[in-house]
C-alpha cells in the first residue's frame, strides 16, 4: 500500500474532502488543499475535470464544465500538485475518468502508453491514489499494473448492487475501498438507505483494508453515521457547492465545513 | 471474441453500480438468443408488426444515370416507424420483458430511436422514458410529441452540449439510479459489452435478407455494400453476413459535417483517435487531453463523437473502409434520390447515397452495389428546405 494512503487511515476515522481542480481556479484549488489539511482532512481527492462525467450529479458536472471552460488542463493540474507537494505531506488521490488517463500523451518515450505517461507523471508530482469510477473490476488491470509500477494505489469501488462481487473486488483492492453508499450519481441526499455496514463487513471478511463511504453525504450527522460503520467518510458535492456559491472567496467556508465534518467523525475514534 | 472485445476495442468501462446489470443482461441474452420461443416471437414481430422483410429494390434510373455498377437499395425506410431502429428495439424490449423488467429507458438524438422505443414499449406494455438533448427537443419538436403520443415520458437533457452524447450520458446516469425494474435500450452498436453484440445481432437481419434477396434476383453476392455510420448500427447490420465473404467490399460513410479539415465534423474514424468513453474502447473525437470534442453534422442521427467498437476493429483490420461525406454532398444526394427514384431518404442514409454516386461510375456494369437506405426522409424535409434557404418550419 502507498505509505501516505496508509497514513490517512492510521489516526482513527478519516474525513476525505473532494475538490474539482480549477473551480474556480487552480490558485484557489491549491489554497483549498492547504485549508483542508489545516482543518483536519486525512486525504484530499482532487477531481481532474472531464467533459462528460457520467458518474456525477448536476453539482459536480457543472464544476467540471466551469473548470474546463476556465482553461484547466491535466498538465496544469500536475504542475499544481508538484507545488502542493513541496508544502505538505497530505495524502492526495486523483479522481477522474478513464479517458483522461488513457488518452494522456505527452511524448514520454520511456512510457508504453498514455496511461503509463499519466501515472508516471502523477507519481512524480506526488499523487498517492487514483480513483476511476468508469473502470470496474473487469477492466482494472489495464490501469492497475501501471499504478503498481509507480507506487500509486488504484482505488476499487463497491456499490449497493455489487453483492456477490464484493469479495472478489476486496481481495484485489489496494489502498482503501471506496464504498458507494447509494444508487445513482454523486450528489447530496436527504437519507442513505443502503446497509453500508453490511457492505463494509463483506469487504473486511476478505481483506483487512480501510473502507471509506462516499456519495450522498453532506451533513455532520450523515458523516458520523457513515464513519461509524466504516473507516471514513468522503464528501464531494457539498464542498463543490460551496465553491460554486462563494467562488474566489470559498476557502474560509470550505475550511470551516471540513473542520466541522472532521470533528463529527473524530468523536467516533 | 472474449470479454466483449473486438480486437482491442469494446470492453465494459462503466461504474461498478451497473456491472451486475450488464452481466445479468449478457446471461439473459445468451439464454434467449438460443430459445426457439423467443426467436419465433421476434420473427413474428419483425414480419407482422415491423413489415419485414424490407424490400431490396433495383434502382434502375439511378443505375442508368450513373452508368456503372447495378444499384440496389435496401429499403429499411419502409419499416414501421420509418427506419432500421425498430429491429433493435423490438429485440431489446422483448428481451427486457422476458427478463421481467417493467420499464425501459433510452437516449435519442433526432428522435428516431426514441420513437421506436416508445412504439415497442406501447406494444409490449412497458413504462418508457426517453432522454433527449434539449437542443434536439427544440429542433425535433414533432418527434417529442410522437413519443408522448405513444405514452413515453420525454426528458430534455441540459447538461454538457445538450445533444446526443449528453443524452447517452444522462440515460446511463438514470440507469444507475433505478436498475432493478429497468432496462436501458441502447440505440446503437456502442456502449459497454454486451450492447454492441446484442444490437448487432438484432440488426444483422438486414444483411441476412440482402444476401437471400440478391441470391434470388441475381444469383450472386454483391460487390460492395454501403451504409452510413454514426454509432454504426445500420452499417453493422448491413455488413455482418458479408464479413466472411472477402469478395464483398464493405464501406461505411461517416458524417464529415463541414469537412474533415474543419472542427465542425463528426467523422470519427477520419479525425478521431483511440479512447475510452460511454463504456467502450474505440475511436473518439477528442482533444489532446482526452476531453470529448463537440461534434457537428447536419444529420442529428450521425452527430456522435464515437463509433461502435466492431467498426473500429473492421477499420483496424482493413476489412471495411470508412469514408467521410460532407453535409453538402449529403444534401445533394438527398435531393438526387428524391428526384431520380421518387424515394426521399433520411439525411443519414443520404450520406451513403452520396458516396455511391462517386463509387458506382468507377465500377463495371456487371458489378452490384447495395446501399442501405436506413430511414425515410420525411423528418428531414423542413431542415433541408431551410439549408437551401427556404423559410419552412414544422
Amino acid at each position: 500500500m502507498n505509505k501516505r494512503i496508509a497514513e490517512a487511515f492510521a489516526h482513527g476515522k478519516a474525513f476525505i474532502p473532494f475538490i474539482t481542480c480549477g473551480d474556480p481556479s487552480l490558485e484557489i484549488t491549491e489554497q483549498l488543499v492547504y485549508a483542508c489539511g489545516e482543518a483536519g482532512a486525512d486525504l484530499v481527492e482532487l477531481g481532474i475535470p472531464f467533459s462528460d462525467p457520467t458518474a456525477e450529479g448536476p453539482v459536480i458536472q457543472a464544476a467540471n464544465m466551469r473548470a474546463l471552460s476556465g482553461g484547466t488542463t491535466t498538465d496544469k493540474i500536475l504542475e499544481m500538485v508538484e507545488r502542493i507537494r513541496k508544502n505538505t505531506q497530505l495524502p492526495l488521490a486523483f479522481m477522474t475518468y478513464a479517458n483522461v488517463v488513457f488518452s494522456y500523451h505527452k511524448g514520454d518515450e520511456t512510457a508504453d502508453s498514455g496511461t503509463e505517461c499519466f501515472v508516471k507523471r502523477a507519481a512524480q508530482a506526488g499523487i498517492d491514489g487514483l480513483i476511476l469510477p468508469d473502470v470496474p473490476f473487469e477492466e482494472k488491470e489495464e490501469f492497475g499494473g501501471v499504478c503498481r509500477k509507480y507506487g500509486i494505489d488504484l482505488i476499487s469501488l463497491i456499490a449497493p448492487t455489487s453483492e456477490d462481487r464484493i469479495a472478489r473486488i476486496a481481495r484485489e483492492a489496494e489502498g482503501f475501498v471506496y464504498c458507494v453508499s447509494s444508487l445513482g450519481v454523486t450528489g447530496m441526499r436527504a437519507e442513505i438507505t443502503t446497509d453500508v455496514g453490511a457492505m463494509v463487513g463483506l469487504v473486511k471478511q476478505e481483506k483487512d483494508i480501510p473502507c471509506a463511504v462516499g456519495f450522498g453525504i453532506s451533513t455532520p450527522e450523515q458523516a458520523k453515521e457513515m464513519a461509524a460503520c466504516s473507516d471514513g467518510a468522503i464528501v464531494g458535492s457539498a464542498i463543490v457547492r460551496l465553491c460554486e456559491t462563494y467562488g474566489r472567496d470559498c476557502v474560509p467556508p470550505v475550511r470551516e465545513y471540513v473542520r466541522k465534518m472532521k470533528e463529527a467523525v473524530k468523536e467516533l475514534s | 471474441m472474449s470479454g466483449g472485445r473486438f480486437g482491442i476495442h469494446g470492453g465494459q468501462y462503466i461504474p461498478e453500480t451497473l456491472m451486475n446489470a450488464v452481466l445479468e443482461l449478457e446471461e439473459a441474452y445468451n439464454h434467449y438468443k438460443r430459445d426457439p420461443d423467443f426467436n419465433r416471437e421476434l420473427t413474428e414481430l419483425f414480419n407482422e408488426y415491423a413489415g419485414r422483410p424490407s424490400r431490396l429494390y433495383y434502382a434502375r434510373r439511378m443505375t442508368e444515370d450513373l452508368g456503372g455498377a447495378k444499384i440496389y437499395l435496401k429499403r429499411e425506410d419502409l419499416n414501421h416507424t420509418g427506419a432500421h431502429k425498430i429491429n433493435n428495439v423490438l429485440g431489446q424490449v422483448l428481451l427486457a420483458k422476458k427478463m421481467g423488467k417493467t420499464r425501459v429507458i433510452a437516449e435519442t438524438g433526432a428522435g428516431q430511436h426514441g420513437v421506436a422505443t416508445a412504439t415497442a414499449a406501447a406494444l409490449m406494455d412497458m413504462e418508457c422514458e426517453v432522454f433527449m438533448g434539449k437542443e434536439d427537443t427544440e429542433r425535433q419538436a414533432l418527434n417529442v410529441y410522437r413519443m408522448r403520443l405513444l405514452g413515453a415520458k420525454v426528458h430534455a437533457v441540459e447538461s454538457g452540449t445538450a445533444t446526443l452524447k449528453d443524452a447517452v450520458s444522462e440515460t446511463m446516469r438514470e440507469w444507475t439510479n433505478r436498475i432493478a425494474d429497468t432496462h436501458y435500450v441502447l440505440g446503437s452498436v456502442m456502449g459497454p459489452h454486451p450492447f454492441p453484440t446484442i444490437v448487432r445481432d438484432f440488426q444483422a437481419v438486414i444483411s441476412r435478407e440482402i444476401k437471400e434477396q440478391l441470391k434470388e434476383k441475381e444469383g450472386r453476392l454483391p460487390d460492395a455494400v454501403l451504409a452510413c455510420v454514426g454509432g454504426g448500427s445500420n452499417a453493422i447490420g448491413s455488413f455482418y453476413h458479408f464479413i466472411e465473404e472477402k469478395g464483398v467490399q464493405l464501406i461505411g460513410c461517416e458524417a464529415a459535417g463541414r469537412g474533415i479539415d474543419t472542427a465542425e465534423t463528426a467523422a470519427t474514424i477520419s479525425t478521431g483517435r483511440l479512447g475510452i468513453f460511454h463504456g467502450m474502447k474505440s475511436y473518439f473525437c477528442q482533444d489532446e487531453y482526452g476531453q470529448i470534442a463537440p461534434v457537428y453534422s447536419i444529420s442529428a442521427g450521425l452527430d456522435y463523437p464515437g463509433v461502435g467498437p466492431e467498426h473500429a476493429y473492421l477499420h483496424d483490420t482493413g476489412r471495411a473502409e470508412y469514408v467521410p461525406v460532407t453535409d453538402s454532398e449529403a444534401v445533394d444526394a438527398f435531393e438526387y434520390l428524391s428526384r431520380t427514384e421518387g424515394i426521399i431518404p433520411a439525411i443519414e442514409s443520404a450520406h451513403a447515397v452520396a458516396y455511391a454516386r462517386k463509387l458506382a461510375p468507377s465500377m463495371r456494369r456487371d458489378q452490384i452495389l447495395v446501399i442501405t437506405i436506413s430511414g425515410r426522409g420525411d423528418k428531414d424535409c423542413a431542415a433541408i428546405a431551410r439549408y437551401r434557404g427556404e423559410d419552412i418550419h414544422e
Side-chain angles (χ1 to χ4, degrees), chain A residues 51-53 139 142 162, chain B residues 5 12-13 16 165 281 291:
Chain A
S51 52
D52 300 83
E139 306 292 354
E142 183 175 353
S162 297
Chain B
R5 293 280 170 171
Q12 294 178 305
Y13 300 88
E16 170 61 24
K165 80 172 166 80
K281 185 176 284 178
Q291 306 293 345

Side-chain angles (χ1 to χ4, degrees), chain A residues 49-54 56 61 75 99 103 106 133-134 136 138-139 142 159 161-162 164-165 169 183-184, chain B residues 5 11-17 19-20 23 159 165 173 176 273 275-277 281 286 288-292:
Chain A
F50 181 51
S51 52
D52 300 83
T54 49
E56 312 296 350
Q61 280 178 47
D75 281 326
N99 203 46
S103 288
K106 280 291 140 194
D134 57 345
E138 280 72 2
E139 306 292 354
E142 183 175 353
T161 51
S162 297
D164 53 323
R165 298 167 51 79
I169 294 169
L183 293 179
Chain B
R5 293 280 170 171
Q12 294 178 305
Y13 300 88
I14 49 171
E16 170 61 24
T17 306
M19 276 310 300
N20 264 329
L23 293 172
S159 59
K165 80 172 166 80
R173 291 183 184 117
T176 63
R273 64 187 168 89
I276 297 170
F277 184 49
K281 185 176 284 178
Q286 54 183 310
E288 58 173 314
Y289 290 106
Q291 306 293 345
I292 303 303

Side-chain angles (χ1 to χ4, degrees), chain B residues 148-168:
Chain B
R148 290 195 176 127
L149 181 66
L150 291 159
K153 188 172 175 193
V154 180
H155 300 274
V157 176
E158 298 189 43
S159 59
T161 52
T163 58
L164 179 55
K165 80 172 166 80
D166 308 289
V168 173

